[in-house]
Amino acid sequence: MMQKKVTGRTRRKLRIRKKVHGTSARPRLAVFRSSKHIYAQVIDDSQGKTIAQASSVTGPGASKVESAKSVGNAVAKACIDKGVEQVVFDRGGYRYHGRVRALAESAREAGLKF
């Protein structure tokens, strides 16, 4: 019987998702990082709805870290406009380093608490 190969990031992601759950009071700020872009969503897991989202696809063609900062700022402003001030950070199995860290720090500076 053949087993499917599961990547390390997938295992880390599942391990994190066992502990991190977004509610309507504190939704989950989920990060996805591709080779070119970075995406962020604020998700209420109890209702299964996305509250706010931002990505670097539509942003200016700056460096990857700079575009991650702008995505963090944009998603924080969108959350605050909808009345969400506290979130739970879900790094999606990525290390808290580089683009993921830049997004998180930018969101904190814009007013989100996590």
Side-chain angles (χ1 to χ4, degrees):
M1 181 174 204
M2 294 188 65
Q3 293 182 350
K4 289 185 178 180
K5 190 179 229 182
V6 180
T7 64
R9 188 186 84 80
T10 306
R11 276 190 302 238
R12 285 189 302 272
K13 182 179 178 181
L14 294 174
R15 191 167 58 233
I16 290 167
R17 287 287 288 124
K18 279 193 283 187
K19 301 171 190 173
V20 175
H21 185 76
T23 62
S24 56
R26 271 186 85 171
R28 176 172 55 100
L29 173 60
V31 175
F32 176 72
R33 179 178 65 97
S34 71
S35 61
K36 290 184 180 181
H37 298 289
I38 191 160
Y39 307 85
Q41 297 186 74
V42 179
I43 305 165
D44 180 4
D45 289 319
S46 60
Q47 295 179 356
K49 292 188 177 180
T50 299
I51 298 168
Q53 63 85 28
S55 71
S56 64
V57 174
T58 59
S63 70
K64 292 179 183 179
V65 174
E66 290 298 321
S67 61
K69 287 180 185 178
S70 66
V71 169
N73 194 13
V75 76
K77 286 184 181 179
C79 284
I80 291 172
D81 289 344
K82 296 199 177 183
V84 176
E85 293 182 1
Q86 286 192 337
V87 295
V88 179
F89 189 65
D90 177 11
R91 59 188 174 89
Y94 303 108
R95 294 190 326 175
Y96 187 79
H97 182 267
R99 291 189 277 164
V100 176
R101 181 177 176 181
L103 187 144
E105 289 176 353
S106 175
R108 279 192 190 106
E109 289 173 6
L112 277 184
K113 295 182 179 103
F114 55 93

